[in-house]
């Protein structure tokens, strides 16, 4: 399993911390998309790195070509042990842009969907933080992917259950190998020799049974291919905010949320709503999840309103006491009130041009 469930984010972080302990300099490289959600997630994640004394380097990126241009540097810099993708990397095969050394750990925190299946089901070095989409909805899709990626196209020639079990063991041995690696090619060659050997000395009954199994196998593979095609054909959409994911990571690591980290998470999630990456129902669910946390770190939230410029005022304080700098639009104030669990519903967000280089 190379995706990380929402209840075990700390496992992925611990792998980064363990590799950082063996390096004196900056061992973590962060590729950060230049959008509000990614930047808020960056603030939360780097606060964790600083607390744990993990040296890191931040590289802002606006497209995958910039990530590819860093690959040569990564290959030469053996000091880098971990790579983190913030709001990029989920929809494309990471191995197409980054050469995965054996000692390299990759963590992908990205709200872009759908996941590239090679990222979540192929290699244990790549860890994608799952918001529940993979674990709850992709059980059958995982079986289909592993059948297509790891199974033999002619594995229907297996003529008995013991041979099927042997094939399954071979498939398991391939999980974790880089595509095109010598280990992977060696496994394929070995299976081909075993398959040719099984074809000799077949009686007519065994031959007919083998042909029937081959037909059934072809039908099953065709169905699996259609399932995978349908998954990618559903189009692009967005999952859980990166900032929310990193806040959950901080909580699982035992770091109590502060007003700053909660605010960054709120801003990151709100940016998804403002840019129409999630609908009003999705945003309302985020508000419900965040309300108790906001009240815990800011007990005065029930009686205090925040202006968009960051100034606070009591709900019974006159507007004249704030001065002109504290003036905000009613729609912006309502949006902030909803984040804090205050009465009132936000107006519909203004129409904005949605330019997302990491959402093809």
């Amino acid at each position: 399993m190379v995706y990380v469930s929402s209840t075990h984010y700390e496992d992925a972080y611990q792998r980064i911390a363990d590799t950082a302990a063996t390096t004196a300099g900056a061992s973590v490289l962060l590729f950060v998309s230049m959008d509000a959600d990614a930047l808020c997630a960056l603030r939360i994640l780097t606060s964790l790195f600083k607390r744990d004394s993990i040296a890191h380097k931040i590289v802002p990126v606006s497209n995958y070509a910039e990530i590819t241009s860093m690959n040569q540097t990564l290959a030469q810099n053996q000091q880098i042990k971990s790579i983190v993708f913030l709001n990029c990397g989920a929809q494309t095969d990471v191995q197409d842009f980054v050469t995965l050394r054996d000692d390299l750990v990759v963590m992908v925190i990205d709200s872009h969907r759908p996941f590239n299946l090679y990222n979540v089901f192929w290699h244990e070095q790549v860890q994608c933080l799952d918001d529940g989409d993979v674990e709850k909805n992709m059980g059958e899709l995982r079986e289909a992917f592993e059948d297509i990626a790891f199974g033999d196209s002619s594995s229907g020639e297996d003529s008995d259950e013991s041979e099927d079990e042997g094939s399954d063991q071979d498939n398991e041995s391939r999980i974790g190998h880089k595509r095109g690696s010598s280990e992977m090619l060696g496994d394929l060659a070995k299976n081909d020799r075993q398959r040719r050997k099984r074809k000799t000395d077949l009686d007519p009954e065994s031959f007919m049974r083998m042909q029937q199994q081959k037909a059934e196998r072809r039908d099953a593979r065709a169905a699996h291919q259609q399932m995978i095609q349908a998954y990618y054909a559903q189009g692009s959409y967005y999952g859980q905010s990166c900032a929310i994911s990193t806040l959950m990571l901080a909580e699982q690591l035992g770091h109590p949320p502060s007003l700053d980290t909660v605010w960054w998470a709120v801003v990151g999630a709100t940016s998804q709503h403002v840019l129409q990456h999630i609908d009003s129902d999705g945003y309302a669910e985020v508000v419900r999840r965040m309300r108790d946390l906001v009240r815990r770190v800011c007990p005065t939230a029930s009686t205090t309103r925040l202006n968009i410029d960051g100034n606070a005022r009591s709900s019974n304080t006159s507007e004249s006491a704030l001065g002109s700098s504290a003036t905000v639009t009613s729609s912006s104030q309502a949006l902030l009130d909803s984040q804090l669990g205050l009465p009132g519903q936000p107006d519909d967000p203004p129409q904005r041009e949605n330019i997302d280089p990491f959402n093809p």
Side-chain angles (χ1 to χ4, degrees):
M1 180 175 66
V2 291
Y3 67 90
V4 183
S5 67
S6 57
T7 57
H8 293 90
Y9 286 173
E10 75 275 12
D11 293 343
Y13 182 89
Q14 192 58 50
R15 289 185 65 179
I16 292 177
D18 291 343
T19 57
T22 64
T23 306
S27 64
V28 181
L29 182 66
L30 297 103
F31 288 121
V32 185
S33 174
M34 292 186 287
D35 60 77
D37 189 22
L39 296 177
C40 290
L42 176 67
R43 293 296 299 270
I44 299 173
L45 187 59
T46 53
S47 70
L48 298 177
F49 286 162
K50 290 176 181 178
R51 288 187 181 185
D52 296 332
S53 301
I54 299 176
H56 54 276
K57 179 180 179 180
I58 300 170
V59 179
V61 292
S62 59
N63 53 61
Y64 285 109
E66 295 179 1
I67 297 176
T68 304
S69 66
M70 289 290 296
N71 191 41
Q72 185 63 31
T73 303
L74 287 172
Q76 297 174 354
N77 188 354
Q78 299 295 318
Q79 188 172 340
I80 298 296
K81 302 297 184 182
S82 303
I83 299 176
V84 179
F85 290 86
L86 285 179
N87 233 17
C88 56
Q91 289 186 311
T92 59
D93 186 357
V94 169
Q95 296 182 80
D96 290 341
F97 301 96
V98 176
T99 300
L100 296 181
R101 305 190 312 262
D102 291 338
D103 61 344
L104 195 64
V105 174
V106 178
M107 181 166 68
V108 179
I109 310 176
D110 193 358
S111 63
H112 295 89
R113 300 292 185 273
F115 279 115
N116 186 288
L117 297 180
Y118 281 100
N119 288 342
V120 295
F121 295 138
W122 181 270
H123 207 291
E124 293 183 356
Q125 285 179 258
V126 180
Q127 306 173 98
C128 294
L129 300 197
D130 176 33
D131 56 3
D133 189 33
V134 176
E135 193 168 33
K136 294 179 181 178
N137 304 320
M138 295 172 61
E140 293 183 356
L141 189 63
R142 177 176 183 171
E143 294 179 2
F145 174 80
E146 291 181 349
D147 177 35
I148 299 299
F150 304 136
D152 294 327
S153 61
S154 57
S155 59
E157 295 174 0
D158 297 343
S159 59
D160 54 41
E161 293 182 358
S162 62
E163 290 170 347
D164 288 338
E165 291 174 0
S167 252
D168 291 339
Q169 291 173 357
D170 289 335
N171 293 341
E172 289 292 333
S173 69
R174 293 180 213 164
I175 299 176
H177 291 330
K178 298 181 182 68
R179 288 182 292 123
S181 66
S182 58
E183 294 91 344
M184 185 74 172
L185 296 176
D187 287 341
L188 293 175
K190 177 182 177 181
N191 290 343
D192 187 56
R193 289 192 299 269
Q194 291 175 344
R195 195 162 48 246
R196 286 197 301 267
K197 183 179 180 180
R198 288 196 298 265
K199 291 175 67 175
T200 62
D201 300 330
L202 289 177
D203 56 58
E205 183 178 352
S206 298
F207 178 78
M208 293 301 296
R209 185 171 64 252
M210 184 187 71
Q211 294 302 312
Q212 182 179 359
Q213 290 174 347
K214 289 176 62 176
E216 293 173 352
R217 180 68 179 140
R218 283 194 298 268
D219 292 342
R221 287 181 62 85
H224 289 162
Q225 289 173 339
Q226 290 177 358
M227 186 182 300
I228 293 173
Q229 291 172 358
Y231 169 72
Y232 287 123
Q234 65 183 312
S236 298
Y237 61 99
Y238 291 84
Q240 179 173 268
S241 157
C242 283
I244 296 292
S245 296
T246 51
L247 180 64
M248 293 173 60
L249 170 62
E251 290 186 289
Q252 292 179 20
L253 291 171
H255 296 297
S258 65
L259 185 58
D260 284 339
T261 56
V262 172
W263 176 248
W264 293 329
V266 168
V267 172
T270 300
S271 70
Q272 285 191 312
H273 182 51
V274 172
L275 295 173
Q276 300 181 3
H277 292 171
I278 58 175
D279 57 21
S280 297
D281 291 338
Y283 183 63
E285 177 62 27
V286 174
V287 170
R288 284 192 293 270
R289 290 167 53 190
M290 293 293 294
R291 182 177 293 129
D292 291 339
L293 186 58
V294 169
R295 288 174 176 169
R296 191 165 76 242
V297 299
C298 184
T300 59
S302 59
T303 59
T304 302
R305 291 169 177 264
L306 290 184
N307 288 307
I308 199 167
D309 61 358
N311 295 323
R313 63 179 173 85
S314 174
S315 58
N316 59 4
T317 303
S318 62
E319 290 288 339
S320 60
L322 293 172
S324 58
S325 63
T327 303
V328 296
T329 63
S330 60
S331 61
S332 297
Q333 184 65 65
L335 187 59
L336 290 170
D337 289 348
S338 71
Q339 296 163 6
L340 297 174
L342 298 177
Q345 295 294 329
D347 296 334
D348 292 335
Q351 297 292 328
R352 297 173 182 265
E353 185 178 6
N354 184 8
I355 302 176
D356 188 347
F358 293 105
N359 188 5

